[in-house]
Amino acid sequence: MYPDPSDVRAGVVYGLTDEMIGTLDIPSIPAPLTGVMNFRVVNQAIIDTLGLSANGLFRMTGYKGQGKSAEEVKGNLRQVQVYYADGDFPKSSGRQTGPTQHNMTFGIGLTVSAPATCSLSAINTPGATSGAIATALAAMSDASHNADILIDELYELVYQILMDGRNLDLNLPVGTISNRWVTKLQKDDPNTKGDLVVLTGVVTYTCNTVESPAGATGTIANSVSTVVDIIGDDIEMTGVTANP
Amino acid sequence: MNLRERVESDLSLSLEGPWGLPVTLMSPDGVLQTLKKDTTLPLRGQILYDTVAMNPETGEEIVIRMPVVTLRRSSLERIPLAGENWIVAIPMTPSESAPLVQHVFSSTRPPGGGASVGFIRLYLQQVEESV
């Protein structure tokens, strides 16, 4: 009787009985090891780099949070959020284990809100002439325009900080990241939220790193021995090495 | 008096009566209006301070501050038009004695609506001192 090829238990394909298989020394599979991946380190490094350079001109949030009240991001309370957006792991043929390149993309979300601005002091000056008031009103800057200026300033700040040569490696050990680049600035449409205008955008930041699967490199891989000791077999050898 | 005229006449009660609040308007040419046209009565209008909106991220209903002022057209010296820069002062809270806070028109919702029965809605936005 031929063994069932669908039964992949060790030994079955060699025609061994369940009793014989029970004598095999099959190592147990250890629980997978955990290790910090570099993308998380880089994510935190971007947050730290931007946060240290914010100087009160914007606020850093280190995650992709839920929506904020428009009042919370008004003026210099404008908000920057950093989050890992996606990544590629290019695979070369035959590569199964060991370190692998990780092409990372981070989203840096910007949120600002603004009111309209006007020379209220000129308008509210006692005795101001209608001509002076009309001039002040004509120079009014609407909220969408102000929000646009705020977010453009924020693009400028974030871009200059990230592309500064001193932040080439985000203050990480040399070689942790490479090929960093701000690849895109994206601006959404202004949105009226209550009595303010909110404007959002995204700065796309890409860089490469190397991820090392914990427990794969430098340790002995788990395997099943194909050499079996069959009770009652005089030769005690099976498989490809058998030579009756 | 036809029905529309009756409705317009009733605005003196529904908009400018006890439910109304004091409003001042400053037109683009710098003229301040605090009184009803051709009267010595203060200009009053209906003010809604908050509105219910939906948070698009969660689908929850939220209450947001978005003042909307409804005025009787026949009480105005000049009718506001879209694209004009007006200053609209309304009480900070729904109280006759609350200090007035200045606003401007929303750039995304022009004033209008209700012309057929004689009122106008103004959608307001915060304004701050320019630097």
Side-chain angles (χ1 to χ4, degrees), chain B:
Chain B
M1 184 180 285
N2 69 26
L3 188 58
R4 287 178 191 274
E5 289 170 335
R6 172 60 61 90
V7 171
E8 202 283 332
S9 171
D10 287 348
L11 295 178
S12 64
L13 183 66
S14 58
L15 293 182
E16 300 173 326
W19 283 98
L21 286 167
V23 176
T24 69
L25 295 175
M26 186 174 286
S27 66
D29 45 12
V31 176
L32 181 66
Q33 182 182 359
T34 60
L35 302 176
K36 278 180 68 171
K37 184 180 178 183
D38 301 329
T39 72
T40 55
L41 299 171
L43 180 66
R44 295 170 69 85
Q46 186 74 258
I47 304 173
L48 296 178
Y49 287 86
D50 302 310
T51 189
V52 176
M54 193 190 73
N55 182 347
E57 294 181 11
T58 63
E60 293 174 314
E61 282 190 341
I62 52 174
V63 177
I64 58 173
R65 180 179 169 83
M66 190 177 75
V68 181
V69 177
T70 309
L71 298 169
R72 187 181 181 187
R73 284 174 176 265
S74 60
S75 296
L76 303 179
E77 301 280 357
R78 174 178 166 180
I79 306 297
L81 297 174
E84 290 183 335
N85 293 336
W86 288 66
I87 297 282
V88 184
I90 60 172
M92 182 182 289
T93 58
S95 165
E96 296 275 353
S97 57
L100 297 182
V101 179
Q102 293 175 317
H103 292 75
V104 295
F105 293 165
S106 168
S107 54
T108 52
R109 296 191 73 178
S116 61
V117 287
F119 65 83
I120 184 170
R121 282 203 182 93
L122 311 177
Y123 302 92
L124 304 188
Q125 213 161 51
Q126 281 187 31
V127 63
E128 289 184 354
E129 177 70 38
S130 55
V131 289

Side-chain angles (χ1 to χ4, degrees), chain A residues 4-36:
Chain A
D4 180 359
S6 66
D7 191 344
V8 295
R9 287 175 299 159
V12 170
V13 291
Y14 297 111
L16 306 181
T17 64
D18 285 345
E19 185 181 352
M20 290 175 174
I21 292 171
T23 65
L24 298 177
D25 181 22
I26 302 173
S28 60
I29 300 171
L33 298 174
T34 58
V36 175

